[in-house]
């Protein structure tokens, strides 16, 4: 063999001068030369260290009786010597096995191994039991190979069965030199290898050298039998050489050899792993052709293959056609349904399983746990976690990680601590994955002290995942000095920071508004010899997006493109968040097209981000179309669309969507109810609001948060029930915060309740002394009642504290160019804008528009107030959009503060006069003006 030749120069093969031949010699056996020993294997002369010459055979020798009297190594040797003297008694395998066991019992492993090799009719069962017995008594398996080498050096003859077993041991113990010596000598002697020995050689080369050498052994076989075909296919599959394995499988069929069920099952497993559906179907055809479907291992593998290739209906069909189902079959189909989100079907299958008298095991429960966790049913995860313990199953490490994931998502740290206690009591803290999940739980619950304690007490070796989890915790909290210190300690322990380490720092810096520092880390990664990947750049883009630095995030994306890094689904989701934050509809459409062309549209996170982008960019129709195309809608998907309709004041549609969600067996969470209550408050649906608020705790066990109470105060106040809103605030279990008092103050402005407004504003001035919006609301309210003295008092208060009105601006996008209008600043086309606006107001007045001068909190005459109203930035942006944009396209305006009543009324008339749709997004919600009406129904 050409591939073996280069290795032979390491050995000097010589003939033994005085070969020792055993009592039993196979006719087909061939003598090996002296052992070719690796540096790790030192061989000594073969000797049992006992003189037997003085012993004579006893006429009354009974082996079983003498064996009972053996009580020391010396007595074993005496018994052995008597057997050798009485050669006619050396005929029983059971006798030899007992002798071997006796030597092993008294720790003479060399003698036991020598007898096993030389005087025992070996088979695979005896071989396995011998090794087990040897190891149980403290013997080393490698010593067996050393004894084999000694015997070879003495010229002992071995048959192919022994050589097959020894080669398997070489492969198992990763001894490349002894195995190579055996092969080299076989080639030199021209030994006729049987199929078992050839397969052992292939396995040896595959494990100890390289797969190409193993495949060459197979290729050089003159006659390729079924065992060899199956062995070489399995060898390639174990080494993840998927394409080569399939090539061999096709060749096997042409040679008329038949694949074993285990080989077919392994091939199907690989089809599952690499997403090879078509190849999996072809193998299914092979299964049917050779009637292998009755093999449970094969059928179960088919179920998994179809499931992992997203063909659940075919997986179920295979399951239904099976004549018999074992526990693995049920677990496979339950896992398939749970993984794909068909959770009710998974539970129904569990009931069928129980009715079939098949008892579920821990794997069954873990399948249900992971399925519910994967699809966001985190409360159900904790219920399953408790239920499995009630029926007698103790959660294992897999169960624990699913439970901790649910705890993280639900924010129930108390339950997480209970799981931590269970982990300690049941000694599961040896599992690095469990401990890392605990670390992650404490980090995400902002308990870095406890996370540090868990990290410091880790029983298992602290791997890079544990280090990265803690570093990311400090980084995301903005504790960059602590994160850097931990990174230095990590390096001192000999663990080199990887890209995950750097990426967590990059994400943390960008999330905390330190984009320049984050970008500097990107350059630092390059200088360390690593290449920033898509995750690195996405961390930069996403972090900036999360802290509201949308423009900076888009600039980072441009740099990412210049670096030649292709975005992934997370990048696209972040970009869509940027487009939604800035209402860049056209840019969002471009990303939508990119997602379709590059296959990202099927990603549920990208689809959800598209819904959010279209909602925030004023295109609810497109948002709903994206929603409709999503096959497996998650809770986040429903929440996103419900909130989208809510911010437009489409309360009835919100309620309808919520009921559809319940009909789809999606369990709402706290975010869902925030969206539903927002829809009710923006549409004045008081009864519906009360209904859903009460159902949170009574029907779903969700404890209302301050956000839910704020929605209810806003709902009651806007609807005019100010006294009821006040009573609600007094009875709520949580202390009212700024959002609650702000909701009440906003309602007081709408209904001109100055007494209650003064109470609310006093609280707000204490809670948010530097929030100018609260002062402006009171200025407007006092101006409505011509209380100019109080207006001046508020202005003086602002001056004393140092509160300044924030910069008020509006902008409109025309032909992908953003035009910004700021209060007190001139625009290049100002003359043209005011000229058009004067004419537009004139037309609007003919239809009934009256400027609401109460919106101006300056003590000037009404004519001057009307001029001030004309300068409001949203009016200028809308007018400029009408001048410059196409006659049929909607006008989309973004404003950074709440729209005033006059501008709201003016926008309705503008949409009527110009017959144009106008979308205006202010600081709190969206308004869709069309034909003189607004989507909010003036409930804002």
């Amino acid at each position: 063999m050409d591939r073996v030749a280069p290795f032979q120069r390491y050995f000097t093969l010589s003939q033994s001068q005085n070969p020792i031949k055993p009592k039993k010699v196979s006719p087909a056996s061939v003598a090996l030369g002296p052992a070719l020993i690796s540096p790790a294997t030192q061989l000594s002369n073969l000797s049992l260290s006992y003189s037997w010459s003085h012993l004579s055979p006893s006429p009354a020798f009974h082996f079983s009786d003498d064996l009972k009297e053996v009580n020391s190594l010396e007595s074993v040797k005496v018994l052995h010597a008597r057997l050798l003297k009485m050669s006619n008694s050396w005929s029983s395998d059971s006798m030899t096995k007992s002798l071997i066991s006796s030597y092993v019992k008294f720790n003479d492993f060399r003698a036991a191994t020598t007898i096993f090799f030389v005087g025992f009719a070996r088979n695979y069962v005896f071989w396995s039991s011998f090794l087990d017995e040897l190891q149980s008594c403290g013997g080393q398996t490698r010593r067996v190979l050393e004894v084999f080498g000694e015997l070879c050096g003495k010229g002992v003859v071995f048959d192919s069965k022994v050589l097959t077993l020894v080669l398997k041991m070489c492969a198992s113990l990763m001894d490349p030199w002894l195995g190579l010596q055996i092969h080299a000598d076989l080639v030199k002697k021209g030994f006729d290898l049987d199929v078992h020995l050839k397969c052992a050689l292939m396995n040896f080369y595959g494990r100890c050298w390289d797969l190409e050498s193993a495949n060459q052994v197979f290729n050089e076989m003159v006659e390729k039998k079924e065992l060899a075909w199956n062995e070489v296919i399995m060898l390639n599959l174990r080494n993840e050489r998927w394409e080569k394995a399939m090539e061999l499988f096709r060749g096997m069929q042409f040679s008329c050899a038949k694949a074993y069920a285990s080989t077919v099952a392994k091939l199907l497993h690989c089809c599952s792993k690499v997403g090879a559906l078509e190849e999996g179907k072809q193998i299914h055809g092979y299964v049917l052709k050779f009637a292998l479907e009755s093999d449970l291992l094969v059928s179960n593998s088919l179920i998994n293959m179809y499931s992992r290739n997203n063909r659940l209906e075919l997986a179920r069909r295979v399951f239904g056609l099976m004549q018999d189902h074992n526990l693995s079959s049920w677990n496979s189909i339950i896992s398939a349904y749970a993984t794909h989100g068909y959770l009710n079907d998974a539970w129904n299958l569990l009931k069928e399983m129980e009715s079939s008298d098949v008892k579920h095991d821990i794997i069954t429960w873990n399948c249900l746990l992971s399925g519910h966790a994967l699809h966001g049913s985190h409360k159900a995860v904790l219920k399953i976690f408790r239920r499995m313990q009630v029926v007698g199953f103790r959660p294992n490490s897999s169960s624990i990680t699913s439970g901790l994931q649910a705890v993280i998502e639900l924010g129930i740290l108390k339950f997480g601590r209970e799981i931590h206690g269970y982990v300690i009591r049941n000694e599961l803290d040896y599992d690095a994955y469990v401990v890392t999940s605990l670390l992650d739980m404490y980090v995400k619950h902002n308990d870095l002290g406890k996370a540090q304690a868990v990290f410091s007490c880790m029983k298992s070796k602290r791997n890079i995942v544990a280090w990265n989890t803690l570093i990311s915790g400090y980084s995301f909290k903005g504790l960059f000095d602590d994160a850097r210190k931990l990174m230095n300690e990590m390096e001192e322990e000999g663990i080199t920071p990887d890209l995950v380490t750097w990426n967590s720092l990059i994400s943390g810096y960008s999330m905390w508004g330190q984009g320049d520092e984050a970008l500097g880390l990107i350059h630092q990664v390059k200088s360390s010899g690593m290449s920033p990947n898509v995750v690195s750049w996405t961390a930069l883009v996403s972090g900036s997006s999360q802290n509201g630095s949308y423009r900076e995030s888009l600039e980072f994306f441009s740099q990412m493109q210049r670096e030649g890094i292709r975005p992934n689904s997370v990048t696209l989701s972040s970009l869509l968040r940027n487009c939604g934050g800035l209402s860049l509809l056209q840019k969002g459409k471009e990303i939508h097209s990119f997602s379709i062309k590059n296959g990202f549209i099927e990603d549920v996170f990208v689809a959800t981000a598209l819904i959010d982008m279209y909602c925030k960019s004023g295109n609810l129709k497109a948002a709903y179309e994206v929603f409709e195309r999503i096959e497996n809608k998650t809770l986040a998907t429903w929440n996103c669309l419900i909130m989208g309709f809510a911010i437009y004041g489409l309360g009835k549609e919100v309620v309808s969507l919520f009921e559809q969600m319940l009909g789809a067996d999606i369990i709402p969470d706290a975010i869902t109810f925030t969206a539903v209550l927002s829809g009710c408050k923006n549409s004045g649906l008081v009864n519906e609001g009360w209904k859903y608020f009460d159902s949170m705790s009574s029907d779903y066990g969700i404890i209302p948060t301050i956000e839910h109470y704020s929605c209810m105060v806003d709902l009651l106040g806007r609807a005019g029930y100010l006294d009821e809103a006040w009573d609600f605030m007094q009875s709520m279990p949580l202390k009212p915060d700024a959002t609650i008092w702000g909701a009440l103050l906003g309602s007081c402005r709408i209904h001109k309740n100055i007494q209650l407004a003064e109470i609310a504003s006093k609280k707000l001035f204490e809670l948010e002394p530097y929030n100018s919006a609260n002062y402006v609301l009171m200025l407007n309210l006092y101006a409505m009642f011509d209380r100019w003295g109080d207006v001046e008092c508020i202005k003086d208060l602002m001056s004393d504290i140092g509160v300044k009105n924030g910069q008020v601006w509006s902008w409109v996008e025309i032909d992908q160019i953003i035009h910004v209008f700021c209060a007190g600043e001139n625009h290049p086309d100002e003359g043209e804008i005011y000229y058009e606006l004067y004419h537009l107001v004139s037309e609007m007045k003919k239809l009934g528009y009256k400027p609401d001068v109460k919106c101006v909190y300056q003590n000037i005459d009404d004519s001057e107030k009307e001029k001030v109203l004309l300068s409001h930035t949203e009016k200028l942006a809308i007018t400029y959009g009408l001048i410059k944009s196409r006659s049929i396209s909607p006008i989309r305006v973004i404003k950074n503060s709440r729209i005033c009543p006059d501008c709201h009324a003016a926008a309705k008339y503008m949409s009527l006069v110009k017959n144009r749709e106008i979308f205006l997004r202010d600081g709190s919600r969206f308004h869709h003006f069309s034909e003189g009406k607004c989507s909010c129904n003036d409930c804002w």
Side-chain angles (χ1 to χ4, degrees):
M1 295 176 64
D2 294 338
R3 291 298 298 273
V4 176
F7 295 117
Q8 292 182 358
R9 67 178 183 273
Y10 294 105
F11 306 103
T12 304
L13 299 178
S14 60
Q15 297 295 324
S16 174
Q17 299 298 316
N18 298 300
I20 300 173
K21 294 186 179 181
K23 294 291 182 182
K24 295 183 180 181
V25 179
S26 169
S29 64
V30 62
L32 287 172
L36 305 177
I37 308 164
S38 68
T41 310
Q42 299 295 326
L43 303 182
S44 58
N45 293 328
L46 175 62
S47 171
L48 293 179
S49 306
Y50 192 79
S51 175
W52 302 327
S53 57
H54 66 284
L55 293 175
S56 58
S58 169
F61 175 62
H62 300 286
F63 178 80
S64 57
D65 293 336
D66 289 355
L67 185 65
K68 293 176 183 177
E69 297 177 4
V70 168
N71 55 14
S72 66
L73 178 60
E74 201 71 19
S75 58
V76 175
K77 291 180 179 180
V78 170
L79 180 62
H80 188 180
R82 294 183 68 185
L83 278 172
L84 291 173
K85 289 288 184 179
M86 302 178 65
S87 59
N88 60 333
S89 299
W90 189 270
S91 58
S92 169
D93 275 348
S94 62
M95 213 179 272
T96 309
K97 189 175 181 182
S98 298
L99 189 62
I100 290 170
S101 297
S102 298
Y103 272 118
V104 169
K105 178 180 177 182
F106 293 106
N107 298 324
D108 193 342
F109 304 122
R110 178 179 174 278
T113 305
T114 303
I115 296 170
F116 183 86
F117 275 126
V118 175
F120 198 21
R122 293 156 299 276
N123 61 36
Y124 293 111
V125 176
F126 287 157
W127 175 262
S128 178
S129 62
F130 168 63
L131 291 180
D132 290 343
E133 189 174 9
L134 190 73
Q135 291 173 344
S136 66
C137 292
Q140 295 182 355
T141 309
R142 183 167 293 279
R143 180 62 182 152
V144 175
L145 292 182
E146 293 177 1
V147 172
F148 172 79
E150 292 174 8
L151 294 173
C152 288
K154 298 294 184 179
V156 177
V157 178
F158 291 111
D159 60 16
S160 63
K161 187 176 289 187
V162 173
L163 298 178
T164 298
L165 295 170
V166 172
L167 280 170
K168 287 186 176 182
M169 285 193 66
C170 290
S172 176
L173 296 174
M174 298 299 290
D175 190 330
W177 301 107
L178 181 58
L180 194 63
Q181 171 209 338
I182 293 171
H183 190 191
D185 207 42
L186 287 171
V187 172
K188 180 179 178 182
K189 303 293 185 183
F191 195 89
D192 184 19
L193 280 65
D194 66 18
V195 67
H196 294 284
L197 188 50
K198 290 174 182 175
C199 289
L201 269 174
M202 283 192 294
N203 185 52
F204 161 72
Y205 276 114
R207 281 184 60 86
C208 297
W209 290 97
D210 57 76
L211 191 59
E212 283 70 23
S213 298
N215 286 334
Q216 185 176 340
V217 172
F218 174 78
N219 292 333
E220 293 179 354
M221 291 183 188
V222 177
E223 182 183 1
K224 298 178 175 68
K225 296 184 179 180
E226 275 185 5
L227 178 63
W229 278 106
N230 282 277
E231 182 68 27
V232 74
I233 291 171
M234 291 291 280
L235 197 57
N236 279 273
L237 290 173
R238 283 193 291 268
N239 284 274
E240 298 186 349
R241 294 284 293 275
W242 154 247
E243 292 182 0
K244 180 65 177 177
M246 283 302 297
E247 177 189 326
L248 288 164
F249 179 65
R250 294 187 189 98
M252 180 184 190
Q253 294 175 67
F254 287 122
S255 72
C256 298
K258 186 178 177 182
Y260 299 156
S262 57
T263 307
V264 172
K266 187 69 175 177
L267 283 164
L268 288 168
H269 174 73
C270 286
C271 291
S272 306
K273 194 173 182 180
V274 301
L277 177 61
E278 290 306 314
E279 289 82 354
K281 286 181 176 179
Q282 292 171 22
I283 297 171
H284 191 177
Y286 182 90
V287 168
L288 296 174
K289 179 180 179 180
F290 290 96
L292 293 172
E293 67 272 17
S294 59
D295 188 286
L296 286 173
L297 178 63
V298 172
S299 291
N300 294 342
S301 298
L302 279 168
I303 293 171
N304 287 324
M305 186 274 293
Y306 281 124
S307 169
R308 295 197 179 182
N309 281 285
N310 299 315
R311 294 301 301 272
L312 189 58
E313 73 283 1
L314 294 179
R316 184 59 189 262
R317 192 179 301 172
V318 171
F319 181 82
L321 292 172
M322 291 172 66
Q323 294 181 353
D324 189 25
H325 303 102
N326 63 5
L327 178 60
S328 180
S329 312
W330 285 103
N331 285 344
S332 296
I333 196 66
I334 289 171
S335 175
Y337 273 87
T339 301
H340 284 83
Y342 297 99
L343 303 176
N344 287 337
D345 294 299
W347 282 107
N348 290 334
L349 282 165
L350 182 69
K351 292 176 183 177
E352 288 181 40
M353 175 183 177
E354 291 171 342
S355 64
S356 300
D357 293 328
V358 177
K359 294 183 178 180
H360 36 69
D361 63 357
I362 189 68
I363 296 174
T364 318
W365 289 100
N366 285 343
C367 290
L368 291 167
L369 281 169
S370 61
H372 283 76
L374 183 64
H375 293 280
S377 298
H378 303 297
K379 288 196 172 180
V381 169
L382 298 185
K383 289 179 181 178
I384 296 168
F385 195 82
R386 291 189 185 279
R387 181 176 168 183
M388 67 186 287
Q389 294 178 76
V390 170
V391 297
F393 287 97
R394 298 176 68 83
N396 60 12
S397 57
S398 179
S399 322
I400 294 296
T401 52
S402 294
L404 290 173
Q405 182 184 347
V407 167
I408 291 168
E409 296 296 332
L410 295 171
I412 311 175
L413 184 57
K414 182 180 178 181
F415 193 87
R417 289 196 180 106
E418 291 179 20
I419 295 177
H420 190 179
Y422 176 90
V423 167
I424 294 171
R425 289 192 302 275
N426 292 272
E427 298 182 347
L428 292 173
D429 47 352
Y430 70 89
D431 189 300
Y433 194 47
V434 169
V435 178
T436 304
S437 297
L438 281 168
L439 268 175
D440 194 37
M441 176 191 73
Y442 284 117
V443 164
K444 289 180 178 174
H445 281 87
N446 295 320
D447 193 345
L448 288 177
K450 190 65 175 177
Q452 182 70 61
V454 170
F455 180 79
S456 300
C457 296
M458 283 182 71
K459 291 183 179 179
S460 56
K461 186 177 179 181
R462 291 187 292 207
N463 57 21
I464 195 166
V465 178
W467 284 98
N468 286 343
T469 301
L470 195 56
I471 288 171
S472 68
Y474 283 114
S475 178
F476 293 161
K477 285 286 287 182
L479 302 172
F480 301 115
D481 290 340
D482 294 304
R484 290 281 195 170
K485 180 182 177 183
L486 201 61
M487 192 170 168
N488 292 335
E489 291 177 12
M490 170 182 170
E491 292 182 276
E492 288 171 5
E493 289 202 10
I495 299 178
T496 303
D498 60 4
L499 269 177
V500 177
T501 320
W502 289 103
N503 291 345
S504 64
L505 286 170
I506 292 167
S507 183
Y509 275 109
S510 58
M511 283 172 59
W512 282 84
Q514 299 183 39
D516 291 339
E517 289 81 356
L519 188 60
L521 287 173
I522 291 278
H523 299 309
Q524 198 171 338
V525 170
K526 291 180 183 178
S527 63
S528 68
M530 290 183 281
S531 298
N533 58 9
V534 64
V535 179
S536 312
W537 284 98
T538 299
L540 193 59
V541 171
S542 177
S544 299
S545 176
Q546 287 178 50
N547 85 351
S549 302
Y550 302 122
R551 290 189 175 280
E552 184 181 57
S553 179
L554 290 172
E555 289 170 6
F556 288 144
F557 176 66
S558 297
Q559 292 186 53
M560 173 182 173
Q561 288 181 304
R562 288 195 292 271
E563 293 281 336
I565 305 293
R566 286 182 59 80
N568 60 16
S569 59
V570 180
T571 320
L572 294 178
S573 299
S574 299
L575 289 173
L576 289 166
R577 187 187 299 119
N578 296 333
C579 295
L582 296 171
S583 291
L584 298 175
L585 180 61
Q586 190 56 42
K587 179 65 72 175
K589 286 181 177 179
E590 291 174 9
I591 297 171
H592 190 176
S593 299
F594 179 89
S595 302
I596 294 171
K597 290 176 183 177
N598 292 274
F600 290 111
I601 196 64
E602 299 299 326
D603 187 287
V604 70
F605 296 105
V606 173
T608 303
L610 276 169
I611 294 170
D612 183 61
M613 182 275 296
Y614 278 121
C615 287
K616 291 179 178 177
S617 299
N619 196 336
L620 276 179
K621 182 180 178 182
Y624 191 74
E625 287 173 355
V626 173
F627 175 81
E628 284 290 281
R629 292 193 187 102
I630 299 175
E631 187 174 346
N632 294 319
K633 299 176 178 66
T634 64
L635 176 61
T637 308
W638 284 96
N639 286 348
C640 190
L641 189 66
I642 291 172
M643 184 60 83
F645 277 84
I647 59 178
Y648 279 91
L650 303 174
K652 291 182 179 179
E653 289 80 356
V654 165
V655 170
S656 176
L657 275 172
F658 179 71
E659 296 299 331
Q660 288 179 48
M661 186 187 87
L662 297 180
D665 294 325
I666 303 292
I667 301 173
D669 63 0
I671 297 172
T672 316
F673 281 102
T674 299
V676 171
L677 292 175
S678 295
C680 292
K681 78 172 184 180
N682 289 339
S683 304
L685 302 178
V686 177
N687 293 333
E688 290 83 351
W690 273 120
K691 171 187 171 183
Y692 292 120
F693 180 81
D694 291 337
S695 71
M696 285 179 64
S697 52
S698 61
D699 297 338
Y700 301 100
I702 298 173
I703 300 172
T705 65
I706 199 72
E707 290 180 342
H708 302 111
Y709 285 106
S710 177
C711 285
M712 287 304 297
V713 171
D714 209 358
L715 169 62
L716 295 170
R718 289 189 193 191
Y721 300 107
L722 289 171
D723 290 339
E724 191 171 347
W726 176 259
D727 292 339
F728 181 81
M729 288 172 60
Q730 302 307 307
S731 62
M732 58 186 275
L734 302 176
K735 184 178 180 180
D737 67 353
T739 61
I740 300 285
W741 290 109
L744 184 64
L745 180 58
S747 299
C748 290
R749 180 191 63 81
I750 294 171
H751 298 288
K752 300 179 177 60
N753 188 324
I754 200 162
Q755 290 80 17
L756 206 53
E758 287 177 333
I759 297 173
S761 64
K762 183 179 179 181
K763 287 289 185 181
L764 285 168
F765 295 163
E766 293 174 1
L767 294 168
E768 299 179 328
Y770 298 102
N771 186 349
S772 62
N774 299 323
Y775 297 94
V776 171
L777 273 174
M778 285 307 296
L779 287 171
N780 285 333
L781 196 55
Y782 283 134
M784 288 179 188
F785 288 92
D786 294 327
R787 291 175 54 170
W788 302 111
D790 292 316
V791 168
E792 292 304 319
C793 287
I794 295 291
K795 288 181 179 180
D796 291 341
L797 179 60
M798 293 174 69
S799 178
D800 292 341
I801 297 174
V803 179
K804 295 182 179 179
N805 281 332
Q807 180 71 54
V808 177
W809 51 258
S810 299
W811 60 258
V812 61
E813 182 184 6
I814 300 170
D815 296 329
Q816 298 195 48
I817 298 175
I818 294 175
H819 299 268
V820 182
F821 298 84
C822 295
E825 295 183 12
N826 296 327
H827 189 274
D829 297 322
E830 185 177 273
E832 183 182 5
I833 295 170
Y834 276 109
Y835 179 80
E836 177 65 25
L837 184 55
Y838 274 115
H839 283 282
L840 191 55
V841 170
S842 178
E843 291 294 321
M844 289 158 51
K845 286 181 176 180
K846 292 176 183 178
L847 296 176
Y849 167 67
K850 293 181 180 179
D852 188 353
V853 295
K854 294 290 185 182
C855 293
V856 180
Y857 51 85
Q858 298 175 28
N859 190 9
I860 53 179
D861 61 47
D862 288 352
S863 61
E864 291 299 316
K865 288 182 179 180
E866 285 190 32
K867 291 178 182 178
V868 171
L869 290 174
L870 287 176
S871 66
H872 282 195
T873 59
E874 56 265 53
K875 285 193 184 78
L876 299 176
I878 293 171
T879 304
Y880 194 67
L882 291 170
I883 295 170
K884 298 294 184 181
S885 63
R886 291 176 297 164
S887 60
I888 58 171
S889 60
I891 308 297
R892 304 179 191 277
V893 173
I894 312 299
K895 180 178 172 63
N896 70 333
S897 58
R898 185 192 292 264
I899 187 174
C900 76
D902 178 71
C903 289
H904 188 269
K908 289 194 291 184
Y909 279 101
M910 287 177 173
S911 70
L912 182 62
V913 170
K914 292 295 185 178
N915 193 26
R916 297 282 289 277
E917 287 184 282
I918 300 171
F919 290 90
L920 192 146
R921 174 180 169 183
D922 70 9
S924 59
R925 60 174 297 168
F926 280 80
H927 302 270
H928 176 202
F929 302 98
S930 179
E931 298 179 348
K933 297 179 181 178
C934 180
S935 60
C936 72
N937 293 317
D938 297 333
C939 182
W940 60 278

